Amino acid sequence: MTVTLIWILAVLFAIGLYLSWTAGRLDRLHSRIDAARAALDAQLLRRASVTQELATSGVLDPAASIVLYEAAHAARQAEEEQREVAESELSQALRAVFAEPAQVDAVREAPGGDAATHELTEAVRRVPMARRFHNDAVGAARRLREHRKVRWFRLAGHAPFPMAFEMDDEPPPALADRAA
């Protein structure tokens, strides 16, 4: 009788240890999502800020400046529900303005344009990477949360279900060529 009881307690302890490890892993994934989201927000804010600076610098023609400024302003002011759409519209505006390498060359030739172009190229290049890191972390957490053991024992607690950040982050070809 005591041997059976010891085995039962050992099995229960092992199950509890495994569930505790899984809950800790899920908690670390949620922390990774939070860190990746903060990095993504920082990169999106940097891209919008650099775009606004370039739009107000006077190196672009007035129509392009207005398009870029309004798209960047909308991206910075967007509520969380509309953020993906606003950031996608900023990507589309950047592609429209910098569709031709001649436009990038014209900006680079203006005083301070070389530094502005470099900064914008770096900002545009980092957004897809930050989004990919965030979405990879979200995918890992989702896969773990889909396991029965996580659902049955409610190991996720009250953490909201992680959502990927889906947006159009295709860089303008003329700027992407400069980054290579």
Side-chain angles (χ1 to χ4, degrees):
M1 178 80 169
T2 59
V3 173
T4 306
L5 186 59
I6 290 173
W7 277 108
I8 290 172
L9 289 175
V11 168
L12 288 176
F13 179 76
I15 290 171
L17 190 63
Y18 178 71
L19 291 175
S20 174
W21 176 81
T22 303
R25 181 173 167 226
L26 190 57
D27 186 51
R28 286 188 302 275
L29 282 172
H30 283 130
S31 296
R32 191 172 123 200
I33 289 171
D34 291 342
R37 181 58 188 241
L40 175 61
D41 286 341
Q43 292 304 323
L44 292 171
L45 182 63
R46 179 173 183 244
R47 182 180 74 155
S49 297
V50 169
T51 302
Q52 277 186 322
E53 285 178 23
L54 185 63
T56 59
S57 67
V59 297
L60 295 171
D61 63 273
S65 293
I66 291 171
V67 167
L68 285 181
Y69 184 83
E70 287 180 355
H73 181 72
R76 289 182 74 176
Q77 300 298 321
E79 296 293 327
E80 193 61 34
E81 301 83 33
Q82 297 298 319
R83 183 98 187 265
E84 294 172 353
V85 173
E87 294 294 347
S88 293
E89 288 173 353
L90 177 56
S91 295
Q92 292 165 2
L94 285 167
R95 277 198 309 272
V97 171
F98 294 108
E100 299 296 323
Q103 179 69 21
V104 177
D105 292 337
V107 171
R108 291 185 78 196
E109 291 171 3
D114 196 32
T117 303
H118 177 70
E119 197 172 347
L120 182 62
T121 301
E122 288 298 310
V124 166
R125 184 181 61 84
R126 289 179 179 165
V127 167
M129 289 189 295
R131 189 177 72 85
R132 197 171 310 121
F133 288 139
H134 175 266
N135 288 350
D136 288 348
V138 166
R142 282 180 159 192
R143 284 188 297 278
L144 184 58
R145 286 182 70 153
E146 289 172 355
H147 288 205
R148 276 188 223 118
K149 65 182 175 246
V150 173
R151 290 191 320 260
W152 288 350
F153 293 103
R154 300 179 193 268
L155 298 181
H158 297 289
F161 194 73
M163 300 300 291
F165 194 86
E166 297 299 333
M167 64 172 270
D168 174 9
D169 60 5
E170 179 87 20
L175 288 178
D177 294 342
R178 304 264 182 222

